Amino acid sequence: MIELRQINKTYGSGAGVVQALKDIDLTVRKAEIFGIIGHSGAGKSTLIRTINLLERPTSGQVMVDGTDITSLPHHRLQERRRSIGMIFQHFNLLSSLSVHDNIAFPLRLSKQPKAETERRVKELIGLVGLEDHADKHPAQLSGGQKQRVGIARALATNPKVLLCDEATSALDPQTTQSILALLLEINRKLHITIVLITHEMQVIRAICDRVAVLDGGMIVESGDVASVFLKPQHRTTKDFVAQASDGSEAYAGLIDKERGKRTQVKITFIGKQTYEPVLYETMKEMNVPFAILQGTISRLKDTPYGQLIVELHAAGEEADRTLTALRDQGLDVEVLTVG
C-alpha cells in the first residue's frame, strides 16, 4: 500500500546541513494500523509528511498504491492527495466555520455536488459521534470533540490512507483512549490504512499492528508490535518499553541472589497460552518446585500476553533441563539470576 524507498531528507547546506531522515525503507500494508514512535527531534513528523509530500524528500521514492508520487506533476499530485487524509496534533480547524462546515470544507474545495456534500457530512458526523454539535464552532468544543471534527474532515473525500500526526498528544488520557477507539473502529469498518506517529508506547500498544522505532532520523527497529514490545533490541526501543512496563524489570534487579540453588527467570506468554496452565504442567512434569514472584496479564491491541517473574527451586543441569522444557512449549524464557 505504502512503500518508502531509501528516503533521505536534509535541510540547509554546507556546514549548516541537517539530515532529518537517513536511508528510510518502510512498507505499510493495506488496511493495517502502522505506528512510528520516536523521541522529540527523531524525525517522526518529517517522515509522516513525506507520505503525502507535504515534505518532499531530498532523495528516494514514495510509492502509494503502486504509484511513485514523487514523480507526479503538480496537478496529479493534488488529485492523489485526496486519497490521503491527515489529522494533526492541534486540530487545525477553521475557527470561523461550524463543525458541519469544517467537515464540508474539503468537499466544497473539490466541487462536490451540494446534495452529495450534505449526505457525506451527515454520515461523518454520525460516525464520529457529534450529532448534537453540528452547528457549534471550534471554540465551543472540548479537545476530544475538536479531534473528532478533524478526523471527520480527513475522511470527507473517502481516502484510502489516514495519516495521524501526534493525534492524541494534546489530549488527556481518558480522551486519548476514546480517540484511539474511534481510529480502531474506523480502520475496521472502513478498511482504511492508518499511519500514526507518537512518542507514547501506550498508543502503539493499544491499536497498532506493526511499529517502526525512529532514532536520529533512522529506523533502528521494526516489526509486529508484540515482538518489538516484548523483545526490544535497540536502546531507544527499550526506553519506550520501560515507559509502558508493569515494573517487573525494576523488580528483577532487586531479586535476592543469596538464596542457594535457585534460578529466577522471566517467562513471556503470547496469545492463547496466556490463559493456559503451561507453566504448571511443565513444572509438574519436570518435578521442579517453583514460586511466582510477580506477574501481569495485558493486551497488545487484540493479542493477550502475560509475563511472570518465576523462581525455580533448581540450578545447574536441572535448571537447564527445565528451561529447555519451557522453551519447547513455545515460551520465551529469560534468565535473570542463577543461584
Side-chain angles (χ1 to χ4, degrees):
M1 181 62 187
I2 300 170
E3 187 178 358
L4 305 183
R5 300 176 178 173
Q6 284 293 291
I7 294 294
N8 288 274
K9 177 65 178 180
T10 58
Y11 296 99
S13 60
V17 70
V18 175
Q19 185 152 18
L21 299 174
K22 182 178 180 181
D23 298 333
I24 298 291
D25 286 310
L26 185 66
T27 300
V28 179
R29 300 167 187 155
K30 184 176 181 179
E32 77 172 338
I33 303 180
F34 193 98
I36 299 168
I37 190 168
H39 294 298
S40 296
K44 304 186 300 299
S45 290
T46 301
L47 178 56
I48 199 169
R49 289 164 66 88
T50 63
I51 295 175
N52 58 4
L53 294 194
L54 289 180
E55 290 281 357
R56 185 171 286 273
T58 306
S59 63
Q61 291 178 298
V62 179
M63 309 292 296
V64 178
D65 209 15
T67 299
D68 178 7
I69 66 171
T70 52
S71 66
L72 294 179
H74 180 72
H75 70 281
R76 289 194 58 201
L77 176 59
Q78 291 296 95
E79 293 174 2
R80 176 64 65 165
R81 280 182 175 148
R82 294 191 190 118
S83 69
I84 306 174
M86 191 165 190
I87 59 176
F88 304 89
Q89 178 180 358
H90 297 296
F91 322 126
N92 288 15
L93 303 180
L94 297 169
S95 60
S96 62
L97 299 184
S98 66
V99 167
H100 175 284
D101 290 345
N102 264 283
I103 298 170
F105 187 72
L107 294 168
R108 291 169 179 166
L109 278 181
S110 60
K111 296 181 171 57
Q112 294 297 311
K114 184 175 180 180
E116 172 60 20
T117 295
E118 289 302 310
R119 183 202 65 79
R120 183 63 175 155
V121 171
K122 183 178 180 180
E123 178 184 30
L124 290 168
I125 285 176
L127 177 65
V128 301
L130 292 176
E131 294 92 337
D132 297 331
H133 304 280
D135 296 326
K136 292 182 179 179
H137 285 69
Q140 299 171 284
L141 303 177
S142 68
Q145 290 167 340
K146 290 176 184 177
Q147 195 57 283
R148 287 172 183 269
V149 178
I151 292 170
R153 181 183 60 187
L155 295 175
T157 56
N158 288 299
K160 296 180 179 180
V161 176
L162 181 61
L163 306 180
C164 304
D165 189 355
E166 296 275 13
T168 61
S169 295
L171 306 175
D172 63 74
Q174 185 175 355
T175 305
T176 291
Q177 290 305 311
S178 70
I179 294 299
L180 293 178
L182 176 60
L183 291 173
L184 188 56
E185 178 188 359
I186 288 167
N187 170 255
R188 289 173 170 168
K189 184 179 292 186
L190 305 180
H191 306 291
I192 290 177
T193 303
I194 297 178
V195 182
L196 64 85
I197 64 170
T198 182
H199 60 273
E200 299 174 293
M201 194 66 188
Q202 294 288 15
V203 171
I204 301 295
R205 287 182 58 177
I207 66 169
C208 292
D209 300 296
R210 293 191 300 135
V211 62
V213 183
L214 203 62
D215 185 52
M218 297 184 291
I219 293 176
V220 296
E221 193 163 352
S222 64
D224 66 271
V225 171
S227 296
V228 172
F229 182 81
L230 297 175
K231 302 176 185 177
Q233 303 299 311
H234 192 271
R235 170 185 51 80
T236 300
T237 314
K238 291 177 181 178
D239 288 344
F240 282 116
V241 169
Q243 290 179 5
S245 74
D246 54 22
S248 59
E249 286 80 4
Y251 180 84
L254 301 175
I255 292 176
D256 185 359
K257 299 180 181 180
E258 305 299 328
R259 302 196 62 188
K261 294 182 178 180
R262 303 189 183 195
T263 303
Q264 289 93 19
V265 298
K266 179 166 74 173
I267 302 175
T268 299
F269 307 77
I270 301 177
K272 64 180 182 179
Q273 283 188 324
T274 305
Y275 304 112
E276 295 177 349
V278 180
L279 175 63
Y280 169 78
E281 291 175 351
T282 303
M283 302 304 283
K284 182 179 178 181
E285 181 180 343
M286 299 302 296
N287 195 29
V288 172
F290 69 98
I292 297 175
L293 305 180
Q294 189 179 59
T296 185
I297 292 177
S298 190
R299 300 185 76 84
L300 295 165
K301 193 177 181 180
D302 298 323
T303 304
Y305 76 95
Q307 289 187 314
L308 298 178
I309 304 295
V310 175
E311 181 178 77
L312 311 180
H313 293 206
E317 292 184 4
E318 185 180 22
D320 290 341
R321 287 194 300 271
T322 303
L323 297 178
T324 298
L326 290 169
R327 289 171 177 140
D328 286 345
Q329 294 298 319
L331 302 178
D332 182 74
V333 183
E334 176 187 352
V335 177
L336 301 176
T337 64
V338 178

